[in-house]
Amino acid sequence: MFEIGVVLYRQRDRGKRYGREAVELLTTWLFAAGGADRVQATTEAANTPMRILLEQLGFRLEGILRAFGTLSDGTRPDGALYAVVKPDWVDRPGVPTSS
Ligand SMILES: CC(C)(COP(=O)(O)OP(=O)(O)OC[C@H]1O[C@@H](n2cnc3c(N)ncnc32)[C@H](O)[C@@H]1OP(=O)(O)O)[C@@H](O)C(=O)NCCC(=O)NCCS
């Protein structure tokens, strides 16, 4: 089982789909060469860009993890657990078939 995450450190790099490209490339590699059958990603439930990105790529929401995170101010936000399995990734829309 593999858990992935991504951070674009510079604000100016965000919103240009670089994050989506990075997650797509890494997930493709994990299934094709890394031996993965399942790839999961957990993000803050309030992280709209990350959740949209994952859903656009075909990751499915598997649950809300209550009080999952720990922030420096002491608050504990909920998390959202997403995952995709190999057959769904290989057959996702927009991927050319190899034949
Ligand atoms: C989260 C992060 C990785 C996303 O990467 P990105 O390259 O900025 O993402 P994208 O450009 O593909 O944007 C994702 C989608 O969210 C949408 N979006 C962005 N902010 C939004 C908001 N506040 N409300 C609704 N939609 C929003 C974008 O429009 C985009 O959808 P589109 O492709 O249909 O236009 C990046 O912003 C980041 O590094 N943030 C800080 C660290 C972080 O939160 N990492 C995730 C930890 S698990």
Side-chain angles (χ1 to χ4, degrees):
M1 197 273 290
F2 294 80
E3 169 103 19
I4 63 169
V6 59
V7 177
L8 300 177
Y9 284 98
R10 298 186 303 189
Q11 186 69 41
R12 67 174 184 267
D13 291 333
R14 298 177 187 170
K16 298 176 180 171
R17 299 184 177 168
Y18 297 151
R20 188 164 84 194
E21 183 178 1
V23 170
E24 184 167 26
L25 288 170
L26 178 57
T27 304
T28 297
W29 185 88
L30 287 170
F31 283 132
D37 292 310
R38 167 191 168 90
V39 176
Q40 71 176 48
T42 309
T43 190
E44 257 185 55
N47 191 336
T48 301
M50 188 64 185
R51 293 186 63 170
I52 289 176
L53 174 164
L54 291 168
E55 288 170 14
Q56 285 173 336
L57 288 174
F59 283 69
R60 290 197 203 167
L61 179 65
E62 295 193 336
I64 297 298
L65 311 172
R66 293 175 298 161
F68 179 74
T70 309
L71 299 183
S72 53
D73 65 3
T75 56
R76 298 184 62 84
D78 291 347
L81 170 63
Y82 284 85
V84 65
V85 293
K86 190 171 184 176
D88 291 349
W89 186 258
V90 171
D91 291 337
R92 71 194 191 286
V95 177
T97 52
S98 57
S99 60

